[in-house]
Amino acid sequence: MNSLRNKVQLIGNLGNDPEIIMLENGTKLAKFSIATNESYKNAKGEKVTDTQWHNIVAWGKLAEITEGFLSKGKEVMIEGKLMNRSYETNEGEKRYITEIKCNELLMLGK
């Protein structure tokens, strides 16, 4: 059961090209977002599509794969875990962000 703790699986489309960051120690970091869509019918019988955006981070070899093969609009399957962190803006405001640390990546579609 431990393998089910904090596990996220998503299928969605990239909103932008991945942002690739090379750290001082030589490790690559890829940041990108994917959109997932859910469709349903409202009380009037009209089709409604709900889009949710998810921030993804990939490290090392996964970041290199992301850099070489992913671009805006590509459909991907992501498996990873939820990570919460906070940071302070230049104005001194504390901000919070939830990201998915990608452990596995599968490119879908064409």
Side-chain angles (χ1 to χ4, degrees):
M1 275 310 219
N2 283 339
S3 64
L4 295 178
R5 294 177 193 241
N6 195 4
K7 186 174 185 176
V8 177
Q9 292 181 324
L10 297 171
I11 295 176
N13 296 85
L14 270 74
N16 288 26
D17 290 342
E19 174 188 356
I20 307 298
I21 300 167
M22 178 65 83
L23 302 177
E24 290 179 11
N25 65 5
T27 302
K28 280 191 179 178
L29 166 63
K31 293 182 176 185
F32 57 98
S33 61
I34 64 170
T36 56
N37 297 310
E38 178 182 5
S39 296
Y40 61 92
K41 289 191 178 188
N42 64 14
K44 296 178 184 177
E46 302 166 326
K47 183 179 176 184
V48 177
T49 301
D50 179 39
T51 301
Q52 296 289 318
W53 288 92
H54 312 277
N55 296 316
I56 314 294
V57 293
W59 294 88
K61 189 67 176 168
L62 282 175
E64 291 175 18
I65 292 168
T66 299
E67 180 180 31
F69 296 100
L70 296 186
S71 59
K72 180 179 180 176
K74 295 279 188 178
E75 187 178 30
V76 294
M77 191 285 295
I78 300 291
E79 184 176 292
K81 66 180 187 173
L82 286 175
M83 305 289 288
N84 295 302
R85 64 182 175 89
S86 62
Y87 63 95
E88 199 169 294
T89 66
N90 293 337
E91 294 78 33
E93 296 176 41
K94 193 160 191 175
R95 300 267 173 96
Y96 299 90
I97 189 166
T98 299
E99 300 170 317
I100 298 168
K101 181 184 176 215
C102 181
N103 296 327
E104 291 189 45
L105 171 71
L106 180 62
M107 292 170 272
L108 305 172
K110 297 179 180 180

PDB file of all heavy atoms in Angstrom, residues 58-94:
ATOM      1  N   ALA A  58      10.164  18.311 -13.669  1.00  0.00           N
ATOM      2  CA  ALA A  58      10.886  17.075 -13.991  1.00  0.00           C
ATOM      3  C   ALA A  58      12.377  17.349 -13.835  1.00  0.00           C
ATOM      4  O   ALA A  58      12.861  18.403 -14.239  1.00  0.00           O
ATOM      5  CB  ALA A  58      10.565  16.623 -15.405  1.00  0.00           C
ATOM      6  N   TRP A  59      13.098  16.402 -13.272  1.00  0.00           N
ATOM      7  CA  TRP A  59      14.521  16.566 -12.993  1.00  0.00           C
ATOM      8  C   TRP A  59      15.352  15.580 -13.798  1.00  0.00           C
ATOM      9  O   TRP A  59      14.882  14.516 -14.177  1.00  0.00           O
ATOM     10  CB  TRP A  59      14.786  16.317 -11.505  1.00  0.00           C
ATOM     11  CG  TRP A  59      14.173  17.323 -10.607  1.00  0.00           C
ATOM     12  CD1 TRP A  59      12.915  17.297 -10.082  1.00  0.00           C
ATOM     13  CD2 TRP A  59      14.779  18.514 -10.126  1.00  0.00           C
ATOM     14  NE1 TRP A  59      12.709  18.405  -9.297  1.00  0.00           N
ATOM     15  CE2 TRP A  59      13.837  19.169  -9.302  1.00  0.00           C
ATOM     16  CE3 TRP A  59      16.025  19.107 -10.313  1.00  0.00           C
ATOM     17  CZ2 TRP A  59      14.106  20.374  -8.664  1.00  0.00           C
ATOM     18  CZ3 TRP A  59      16.299  20.302  -9.675  1.00  0.00           C
ATOM     19  CH2 TRP A  59      15.351  20.922  -8.860  1.00  0.00           C
ATOM     20  N   GLY A  60      16.605  15.922 -14.025  1.00  0.00           N
ATOM     21  CA  GLY A  60      17.587  15.001 -14.601  1.00  0.00           C
ATOM     22  C   GLY A  60      17.215  14.479 -15.977  1.00  0.00           C
ATOM     23  O   GLY A  60      16.941  15.238 -16.899  1.00  0.00           O
ATOM     24  N   LYS A  61      17.213  13.158 -16.110  1.00  0.00           N
ATOM     25  CA  LYS A  61      16.958  12.507 -17.407  1.00  0.00           C
ATOM     26  C   LYS A  61      15.563  12.840 -17.928  1.00  0.00           C
ATOM     27  O   LYS A  61      15.388  13.056 -19.129  1.00  0.00           O
ATOM     28  CB  LYS A  61      17.134  10.989 -17.256  1.00  0.00           C
ATOM     29  CG  LYS A  61      17.097  10.248 -18.556  1.00  0.00           C
ATOM     30  CD  LYS A  61      18.297  10.577 -19.426  1.00  0.00           C
ATOM     31  CE  LYS A  61      18.291   9.735 -20.679  1.00  0.00           C
ATOM     32  NZ  LYS A  61      19.253  10.214 -21.669  1.00  0.00           N
ATOM     33  N   LEU A  62      14.570  12.905 -17.044  1.00  0.00           N
ATOM     34  CA  LEU A  62      13.223  13.267 -17.479  1.00  0.00           C
ATOM     35  C   LEU A  62      13.190  14.696 -18.014  1.00  0.00           C
ATOM     36  O   LEU A  62      12.478  14.996 -18.970  1.00  0.00           O
ATOM     37  CB  LEU A  62      12.213  13.110 -16.351  1.00  0.00           C
ATOM     38  CG  LEU A  62      11.767  11.681 -16.053  1.00  0.00           C
ATOM     39  CD1 LEU A  62      10.848  11.653 -14.835  1.00  0.00           C
ATOM     40  CD2 LEU A  62      11.073  11.069 -17.244  1.00  0.00           C
ATOM     41  N   ALA A  63      13.965  15.585 -17.422  1.00  0.00           N
ATOM     42  CA  ALA A  63      14.044  16.966 -17.924  1.00  0.00           C
ATOM     43  C   ALA A  63      14.668  16.989 -19.314  1.00  0.00           C
ATOM     44  O   ALA A  63      14.239  17.744 -20.189  1.00  0.00           O
ATOM     45  CB  ALA A  63      14.851  17.835 -16.961  1.00  0.00           C
ATOM     46  N   GLU A  64      15.682  16.145 -19.547  1.00  0.00           N
ATOM     47  CA  GLU A  64      16.314  16.069 -20.863  1.00  0.00           C
ATOM     48  C   GLU A  64      15.336  15.535 -21.912  1.00  0.00           C
ATOM     49  O   GLU A  64      15.284  16.042 -23.041  1.00  0.00           O
ATOM     50  CB  GLU A  64      17.560  15.176 -20.798  1.00  0.00           C
ATOM     51  CG  GLU A  64      18.691  15.785 -19.987  1.00  0.00           C
ATOM     52  CD  GLU A  64      19.878  14.854 -19.833  1.00  0.00           C
ATOM     53  OE1 GLU A  64      20.007  13.877 -20.615  1.00  0.00           O
ATOM     54  OE2 GLU A  64      20.694  15.098 -18.926  1.00  0.00           O
ATOM     55  N   ILE A  65      14.549  14.528 -21.550  1.00  0.00           N
ATOM     56  CA  ILE A  65      13.537  13.996 -22.472  1.00  0.00           C
ATOM     57  C   ILE A  65      12.504  15.065 -22.778  1.00  0.00           C
ATOM     58  O   ILE A  65      12.113  15.261 -23.932  1.00  0.00           O
ATOM     59  CB  ILE A  65      12.873  12.734 -21.873  1.00  0.00           C
ATOM     60  CG1 ILE A  65      13.896  11.594 -21.812  1.00  0.00           C
ATOM     61  CG2 ILE A  65      11.639  12.335 -22.664  1.00  0.00           C
ATOM     62  CD1 ILE A  65      13.452  10.405 -20.994  1.00  0.00           C
ATOM     63  N   THR A  66      12.082  15.766 -21.741  1.00  0.00           N
ATOM     64  CA  THR A  66      11.119  16.856 -21.901  1.00  0.00           C
ATOM     65  C   THR A  66      11.652  17.907 -22.862  1.00  0.00           C
ATOM     66  O   THR A  66      10.947  18.351 -23.768  1.00  0.00           O
ATOM     67  CB  THR A  66      10.819  17.498 -20.526  1.00  0.00           C
ATOM     68  OG1 THR A  66      10.259  16.503 -19.680  1.00  0.00           O
ATOM     69  CG2 THR A  66       9.886  18.660 -20.643  1.00  0.00           C
ATOM     70  N   GLU A  67      12.901  18.281 -22.678  1.00  0.00           N
ATOM     71  CA  GLU A  67      13.527  19.300 -23.521  1.00  0.00           C
ATOM     72  C   GLU A  67      13.568  18.860 -24.982  1.00  0.00           C
ATOM     73  O   GLU A  67      13.302  19.644 -25.891  1.00  0.00           O
ATOM     74  CB  GLU A  67      14.947  19.580 -23.028  1.00  0.00           C
ATOM     75  CG  GLU A  67      15.685  20.611 -23.829  1.00  0.00           C
ATOM     76  CD  GLU A  67      17.093  20.853 -23.312  1.00  0.00           C
ATOM     77  OE1 GLU A  67      17.724  19.919 -22.768  1.00  0.00           O
ATOM     78  OE2 GLU A  67      17.573  21.985 -23.463  1.00  0.00           O
ATOM     79  N   GLY A  68      13.868  17.597 -25.212  1.00  0.00           N
ATOM     80  CA  GLY A  68      14.046  17.116 -26.578  1.00  0.00           C
ATOM     81  C   GLY A  68      12.764  16.786 -27.329  1.00  0.00           C
ATOM     82  O   GLY A  68      12.737  16.848 -28.553  1.00  0.00           O
ATOM     83  N   PHE A  69      11.704  16.425 -26.595  1.00  0.00           N
ATOM     84  CA  PHE A  69      10.541  15.870 -27.283  1.00  0.00           C
ATOM     85  C   PHE A  69       9.211  16.563 -27.022  1.00  0.00           C
ATOM     86  O   PHE A  69       8.245  16.308 -27.744  1.00  0.00           O
ATOM     87  CB  PHE A  69      10.393  14.381 -26.929  1.00  0.00           C
ATOM     88  CG  PHE A  69      11.539  13.551 -27.402  1.00  0.00           C
ATOM     89  CD1 PHE A  69      12.550  13.176 -26.525  1.00  0.00           C
ATOM     90  CD2 PHE A  69      11.627  13.144 -28.722  1.00  0.00           C
ATOM     91  CE1 PHE A  69      13.613  12.410 -26.956  1.00  0.00           C
ATOM     92  CE2 PHE A  69      12.683  12.372 -29.163  1.00  0.00           C
ATOM     93  CZ  PHE A  69      13.690  12.012 -28.279  1.00  0.00           C
ATOM     94  N   LEU A  70       9.111  17.395 -26.002  1.00  0.00           N
ATOM     95  CA  LEU A  70       7.815  17.992 -25.680  1.00  0.00           C
ATOM     96  C   LEU A  70       7.729  19.440 -26.124  1.00  0.00           C
ATOM     97  O   LEU A  70       8.711  20.174 -26.083  1.00  0.00           O
ATOM     98  CB  LEU A  70       7.533  17.905 -24.180  1.00  0.00           C
ATOM     99  CG  LEU A  70       7.398  16.509 -23.599  1.00  0.00           C
ATOM    100  CD1 LEU A  70       6.975  16.593 -22.134  1.00  0.00           C
ATOM    101  CD2 LEU A  70       6.420  15.662 -24.379  1.00  0.00           C
ATOM    102  N   SER A  71       6.544  19.836 -26.538  1.00  0.00           N
ATOM    103  CA  SER A  71       6.279  21.222 -26.917  1.00  0.00           C
ATOM    104  C   SER A  71       4.800  21.519 -26.659  1.00  0.00           C
ATOM    105  O   SER A  71       4.004  20.613 -26.394  1.00  0.00           O
ATOM    106  CB  SER A  71       6.635  21.462 -28.383  1.00  0.00           C
ATOM    107  OG  SER A  71       5.890  20.602 -29.217  1.00  0.00           O
ATOM    108  N   LYS A  72       4.462  22.776 -26.769  1.00  0.00           N
ATOM    109  CA  LYS A  72       3.095  23.223 -26.520  1.00  0.00           C
ATOM    110  C   LYS A  72       2.094  22.382 -27.316  1.00  0.00           C
ATOM    111  O   LYS A  72       2.296  22.120 -28.494  1.00  0.00           O
ATOM    112  CB  LYS A  72       2.957  24.695 -26.902  1.00  0.00           C
ATOM    113  CG  LYS A  72       1.573  25.252 -26.682  1.00  0.00           C
ATOM    114  CD  LYS A  72       1.496  26.709 -27.050  1.00  0.00           C
ATOM    115  CE  LYS A  72       0.086  27.231 -26.821  1.00  0.00           C
ATOM    116  NZ  LYS A  72      -0.011  28.663 -27.084  1.00  0.00           N
ATOM    117  N   GLY A  73       1.030  21.945 -26.632  1.00  0.00           N
ATOM    118  CA  GLY A  73      -0.030  21.187 -27.283  1.00  0.00           C
ATOM    119  C   GLY A  73       0.136  19.681 -27.246  1.00  0.00           C
ATOM    120  O   GLY A  73      -0.835  18.946 -27.444  1.00  0.00           O
ATOM    121  N   LYS A  74       1.348  19.170 -26.993  1.00  0.00           N
ATOM    122  CA  LYS A  74       1.580  17.724 -26.971  1.00  0.00           C
ATOM    123  C   LYS A  74       0.800  17.076 -25.829  1.00  0.00           C
ATOM    124  O   LYS A  74       0.699  17.623 -24.743  1.00  0.00           O
ATOM    125  CB  LYS A  74       3.066  17.399 -26.784  1.00  0.00           C
ATOM    126  CG  LYS A  74       3.954  17.826 -27.920  1.00  0.00           C
ATOM    127  CD  LYS A  74       3.901  16.833 -29.039  1.00  0.00           C
ATOM    128  CE  LYS A  74       4.956  17.211 -30.071  1.00  0.00           C
ATOM    129  NZ  LYS A  74       5.017  16.301 -31.159  1.00  0.00           N
ATOM    130  N   GLU A  75       0.261  15.889 -26.097  1.00  0.00           N
ATOM    131  CA  GLU A  75      -0.459  15.143 -25.072  1.00  0.00           C
ATOM    132  C   GLU A  75       0.511  14.214 -24.347  1.00  0.00           C
ATOM    133  O   GLU A  75       1.299  13.507 -24.985  1.00  0.00           O
ATOM    134  CB  GLU A  75      -1.594  14.328 -25.694  1.00  0.00           C
ATOM    135  CG  GLU A  75      -2.468  13.667 -24.662  1.00  0.00           C
ATOM    136  CD  GLU A  75      -3.632  12.893 -25.271  1.00  0.00           C
ATOM    137  OE1 GLU A  75      -3.491  12.390 -26.409  1.00  0.00           O
ATOM    138  OE2 GLU A  75      -4.664  12.801 -24.610  1.00  0.00           O
ATOM    139  N   VAL A  76       0.442  14.223 -23.018  1.00  0.00           N
ATOM    140  CA  VAL A  76       1.344  13.410 -22.207  1.00  0.00           C
ATOM    141  C   VAL A  76       0.582  12.769 -21.054  1.00  0.00           C
ATOM    142  O   VAL A  76      -0.468  13.239 -20.641  1.00  0.00           O
ATOM    143  CB  VAL A  76       2.517  14.235 -21.620  1.00  0.00           C
ATOM    144  CG1 VAL A  76       3.435  14.737 -22.696  1.00  0.00           C
ATOM    145  CG2 VAL A  76       2.015  15.357 -20.757  1.00  0.00           C
ATOM    146  N   MET A  77       1.153  11.674 -20.556  1.00  0.00           N
ATOM    147  CA  MET A  77       0.698  11.059 -19.319  1.00  0.00           C
ATOM    148  C   MET A  77       1.804  11.281 -18.306  1.00  0.00           C
ATOM    149  O   MET A  77       2.977  11.019 -18.600  1.00  0.00           O
ATOM    150  CB  MET A  77       0.444   9.563 -19.505  1.00  0.00           C
ATOM    151  CG  MET A  77      -0.287   8.893 -18.331  1.00  0.00           C
ATOM    152  SD  MET A  77       0.651   8.561 -16.823  1.00  0.00           S
ATOM    153  CE  MET A  77       1.826   7.372 -17.348  1.00  0.00           C
ATOM    154  N   ILE A  78       1.443  11.806 -17.164  1.00  0.00           N
ATOM    155  CA  ILE A  78       2.402  12.102 -16.098  1.00  0.00           C
ATOM    156  C   ILE A  78       2.067  11.246 -14.891  1.00  0.00           C
ATOM    157  O   ILE A  78       0.901  11.116 -14.524  1.00  0.00           O
ATOM    158  CB  ILE A  78       2.299  13.592 -15.674  1.00  0.00           C
ATOM    159  CG1 ILE A  78       2.598  14.532 -16.831  1.00  0.00           C
ATOM    160  CG2 ILE A  78       3.165  13.887 -14.467  1.00  0.00           C
ATOM    161  CD1 ILE A  78       4.027  14.520 -17.272  1.00  0.00           C
ATOM    162  N   GLU A  79       3.098  10.678 -14.277  1.00  0.00           N
ATOM    163  CA  GLU A  79       2.921  10.032 -12.986  1.00  0.00           C
ATOM    164  C   GLU A  79       3.934  10.647 -12.049  1.00  0.00           C
ATOM    165  O   GLU A  79       5.103  10.838 -12.410  1.00  0.00           O
ATOM    166  CB  GLU A  79       3.140   8.527 -13.082  1.00  0.00           C
ATOM    167  CG  GLU A  79       2.871   7.836 -11.756  1.00  0.00           C
ATOM    168  CD  GLU A  79       2.988   6.331 -11.870  1.00  0.00           C
ATOM    169  OE1 GLU A  79       2.146   5.719 -12.547  1.00  0.00           O
ATOM    170  OE2 GLU A  79       3.931   5.795 -11.278  1.00  0.00           O
ATOM    171  N   GLY A  80       3.483  11.002 -10.865  1.00  0.00           N
ATOM    172  CA  GLY A  80       4.385  11.632  -9.911  1.00  0.00           C
ATOM    173  C   GLY A  80       3.742  11.792  -8.561  1.00  0.00           C
ATOM    174  O   GLY A  80       2.819  11.056  -8.214  1.00  0.00           O
ATOM    175  N   LYS A  81       4.236  12.784  -7.812  1.00  0.00           N
ATOM    176  CA  LYS A  81       3.680  13.030  -6.489  1.00  0.00           C
ATOM    177  C   LYS A  81       3.501  14.523  -6.265  1.00  0.00           C
ATOM    178  O   LYS A  81       4.217  15.349  -6.850  1.00  0.00           O
ATOM    179  CB  LYS A  81       4.548  12.417  -5.396  1.00  0.00           C
ATOM    180  CG  LYS A  81       5.920  13.022  -5.239  1.00  0.00           C
ATOM    181  CD  LYS A  81       6.659  12.315  -4.114  1.00  0.00           C
ATOM    182  CE  LYS A  81       7.972  13.010  -3.824  1.00  0.00           C
ATOM    183  NZ  LYS A  81       8.615  12.453  -2.636  1.00  0.00           N
ATOM    184  N   LEU A  82       2.525  14.867  -5.434  1.00  0.00           N
ATOM    185  CA  LEU A  82       2.251  16.255  -5.116  1.00  0.00           C
ATOM    186  C   LEU A  82       3.320  16.808  -4.189  1.00  0.00           C
ATOM    187  O   LEU A  82       3.733  16.150  -3.229  1.00  0.00           O
ATOM    188  CB  LEU A  82       0.889  16.394  -4.418  1.00  0.00           C
ATOM    189  CG  LEU A  82      -0.325  16.238  -5.306  1.00  0.00           C
ATOM    190  CD1 LEU A  82      -1.591  16.269  -4.448  1.00  0.00           C
ATOM    191  CD2 LEU A  82      -0.390  17.314  -6.356  1.00  0.00           C
ATOM    192  N   MET A  83       3.759  18.011  -4.504  1.00  0.00           N
ATOM    193  CA  MET A  83       4.757  18.701  -3.683  1.00  0.00           C
ATOM    194  C   MET A  83       4.233  20.110  -3.405  1.00  0.00           C
ATOM    195  O   MET A  83       3.787  20.789  -4.334  1.00  0.00           O
ATOM    196  CB  MET A  83       6.094  18.797  -4.425  1.00  0.00           C
ATOM    197  CG  MET A  83       6.658  17.480  -4.913  1.00  0.00           C
ATOM    198  SD  MET A  83       7.273  16.431  -3.608  1.00  0.00           S
ATOM    199  CE  MET A  83       8.736  17.306  -3.149  1.00  0.00           C
ATOM    200  N   ASN A  84       4.286  20.535  -2.162  1.00  0.00           N
ATOM    201  CA  ASN A  84       3.904  21.892  -1.784  1.00  0.00           C
ATOM    202  C   ASN A  84       5.140  22.642  -1.329  1.00  0.00           C
ATOM    203  O   ASN A  84       5.992  22.082  -0.641  1.00  0.00           O
ATOM    204  CB  ASN A  84       2.884  21.869  -0.641  1.00  0.00           C
ATOM    205  CG  ASN A  84       1.590  21.232  -1.055  1.00  0.00           C
ATOM    206  OD1 ASN A  84       0.958  21.674  -1.993  1.00  0.00           O
ATOM    207  ND2 ASN A  84       1.202  20.168  -0.366  1.00  0.00           N
ATOM    208  N   ARG A  85       5.236  23.898  -1.744  1.00  0.00           N
ATOM    209  CA  ARG A  85       6.352  24.730  -1.292  1.00  0.00           C
ATOM    210  C   ARG A  85       5.895  26.173  -1.222  1.00  0.00           C
ATOM    211  O   ARG A  85       4.840  26.531  -1.740  1.00  0.00           O
ATOM    212  CB  ARG A  85       7.574  24.578  -2.196  1.00  0.00           C
ATOM    213  CG  ARG A  85       7.388  25.046  -3.611  1.00  0.00           C
ATOM    214  CD  ARG A  85       8.647  24.814  -4.451  1.00  0.00           C
ATOM    215  NE  ARG A  85       8.422  25.153  -5.829  1.00  0.00           N
ATOM    216  CZ  ARG A  85       8.609  26.364  -6.349  1.00  0.00           C
ATOM    217  NH1 ARG A  85       9.013  27.356  -5.593  1.00  0.00           N
ATOM    218  NH2 ARG A  85       8.394  26.591  -7.630  1.00  0.00           N
ATOM    219  N   SER A  86       6.682  26.975  -0.561  1.00  0.00           N
ATOM    220  CA  SER A  86       6.365  28.399  -0.470  1.00  0.00           C
ATOM    221  C   SER A  86       7.618  29.200  -0.810  1.00  0.00           C
ATOM    222  O   SER A  86       8.738  28.682  -0.744  1.00  0.00           O
ATOM    223  CB  SER A  86       5.879  28.755   0.933  1.00  0.00           C
ATOM    224  OG  SER A  86       6.880  28.512   1.885  1.00  0.00           O
ATOM    225  N   TYR A  87       7.401  30.446  -1.190  1.00  0.00           N
ATOM    226  CA  TYR A  87       8.504  31.338  -1.482  1.00  0.00           C
ATOM    227  C   TYR A  87       8.049  32.762  -1.182  1.00  0.00           C
ATOM    228  O   TYR A  87       6.866  33.026  -0.981  1.00  0.00           O
ATOM    229  CB  TYR A  87       8.972  31.196  -2.934  1.00  0.00           C
ATOM    230  CG  TYR A  87       7.930  31.585  -3.961  1.00  0.00           C
ATOM    231  CD1 TYR A  87       7.908  32.870  -4.498  1.00  0.00           C
ATOM    232  CD2 TYR A  87       6.974  30.679  -4.401  1.00  0.00           C
ATOM    233  CE1 TYR A  87       6.950  33.236  -5.438  1.00  0.00           C
ATOM    234  CE2 TYR A  87       6.027  31.031  -5.339  1.00  0.00           C
ATOM    235  CZ  TYR A  87       6.011  32.311  -5.853  1.00  0.00           C
ATOM    236  OH  TYR A  87       5.071  32.668  -6.772  1.00  0.00           O
ATOM    237  N   GLU A  88       9.014  33.664  -1.127  1.00  0.00           N
ATOM    238  CA  GLU A  88       8.712  35.056  -0.841  1.00  0.00           C
ATOM    239  C   GLU A  88       9.003  35.906  -2.075  1.00  0.00           C
ATOM    240  O   GLU A  88      10.054  35.766  -2.694  1.00  0.00           O
ATOM    241  CB  GLU A  88       9.562  35.536   0.346  1.00  0.00           C
ATOM    242  CG  GLU A  88       9.029  36.778   0.994  1.00  0.00           C
ATOM    243  CD  GLU A  88       9.720  37.060   2.313  1.00  0.00           C
ATOM    244  OE1 GLU A  88       9.551  36.275   3.258  1.00  0.00           O
ATOM    245  OE2 GLU A  88      10.424  38.089   2.373  1.00  0.00           O
ATOM    246  N   THR A  89       8.058  36.773  -2.431  1.00  0.00           N
ATOM    247  CA  THR A  89       8.240  37.656  -3.585  1.00  0.00           C
ATOM    248  C   THR A  89       9.205  38.783  -3.219  1.00  0.00           C
ATOM    249  O   THR A  89       9.566  38.967  -2.053  1.00  0.00           O
ATOM    250  CB  THR A  89       6.896  38.267  -4.027  1.00  0.00           C
ATOM    251  OG1 THR A  89       6.428  39.133  -2.992  1.00  0.00           O
ATOM    252  CG2 THR A  89       5.878  37.197  -4.348  1.00  0.00           C
ATOM    253  N   ASN A  90       9.614  39.552  -4.230  1.00  0.00           N
ATOM    254  CA  ASN A  90      10.492  40.700  -3.988  1.00  0.00           C
ATOM    255  C   ASN A  90       9.836  41.737  -3.081  1.00  0.00           C
ATOM    256  O   ASN A  90      10.519  42.511  -2.418  1.00  0.00           O
ATOM    257  CB  ASN A  90      10.890  41.356  -5.316  1.00  0.00           C
ATOM    258  CG  ASN A  90      11.764  40.445  -6.151  1.00  0.00           C
ATOM    259  OD1 ASN A  90      12.417  39.540  -5.619  1.00  0.00           O
ATOM    260  ND2 ASN A  90      11.779  40.656  -7.453  1.00  0.00           N
ATOM    261  N   GLU A  91       8.489  41.746  -3.079  1.00  0.00           N
ATOM    262  CA  GLU A  91       7.752  42.687  -2.236  1.00  0.00           C
ATOM    263  C   GLU A  91       7.549  42.147  -0.823  1.00  0.00           C
ATOM    264  O   GLU A  91       6.899  42.790   0.000  1.00  0.00           O
ATOM    265  CB  GLU A  91       6.391  43.014  -2.863  1.00  0.00           C
ATOM    266  CG  GLU A  91       6.463  43.768  -4.177  1.00  0.00           C
ATOM    267  CD  GLU A  91       6.816  42.876  -5.357  1.00  0.00           C
ATOM    268  OE1 GLU A  91       6.424  41.677  -5.363  1.00  0.00           O
ATOM    269  OE2 GLU A  91       7.516  43.356  -6.263  1.00  0.00           O
ATOM    270  N   GLY A  92       8.063  40.958  -0.528  1.00  0.00           N
ATOM    271  CA  GLY A  92       7.962  40.382   0.807  1.00  0.00           C
ATOM    272  C   GLY A  92       6.701  39.571   1.050  1.00  0.00           C
ATOM    273  O   GLY A  92       6.442  39.149   2.173  1.00  0.00           O
ATOM    274  N   GLU A  93       5.914  39.320   0.007  1.00  0.00           N
ATOM    275  CA  GLU A  93       4.698  38.524   0.156  1.00  0.00           C
ATOM    276  C   GLU A  93       5.047  37.042   0.106  1.00  0.00           C
ATOM    277  O   GLU A  93       5.836  36.618  -0.714  1.00  0.00           O
ATOM    278  CB  GLU A  93       3.718  38.818  -0.978  1.00  0.00           C
ATOM    279  CG  GLU A  93       3.199  40.227  -1.022  1.00  0.00           C
ATOM    280  CD  GLU A  93       2.304  40.445  -2.232  1.00  0.00           C
ATOM    281  OE1 GLU A  93       1.496  39.545  -2.545  1.00  0.00           O
ATOM    282  OE2 GLU A  93       2.437  41.505  -2.862  1.00  0.00           O
ATOM    283  N   LYS A  94       4.417  36.266   0.985  1.00  0.00           N
ATOM    284  CA  LYS A  94       4.629  34.820   0.978  1.00  0.00           C
ATOM    285  C   LYS A  94       3.624  34.198   0.013  1.00  0.00           C
ATOM    286  O   LYS A  94       2.438  34.469   0.072  1.00  0.00           O
ATOM    287  CB  LYS A  94       4.463  34.235   2.370  1.00  0.00           C
ATOM    288  CG  LYS A  94       4.970  32.823   2.465  1.00  0.00           C
ATOM    289  CD  LYS A  94       5.248  32.427   3.886  1.00  0.00           C
ATOM    290  CE  LYS A  94       5.999  31.106   3.877  1.00  0.00           C
ATOM    291  NZ  LYS A  94       6.402  30.693   5.188  1.00  0.00           N
TER     292      LYS A  94
END
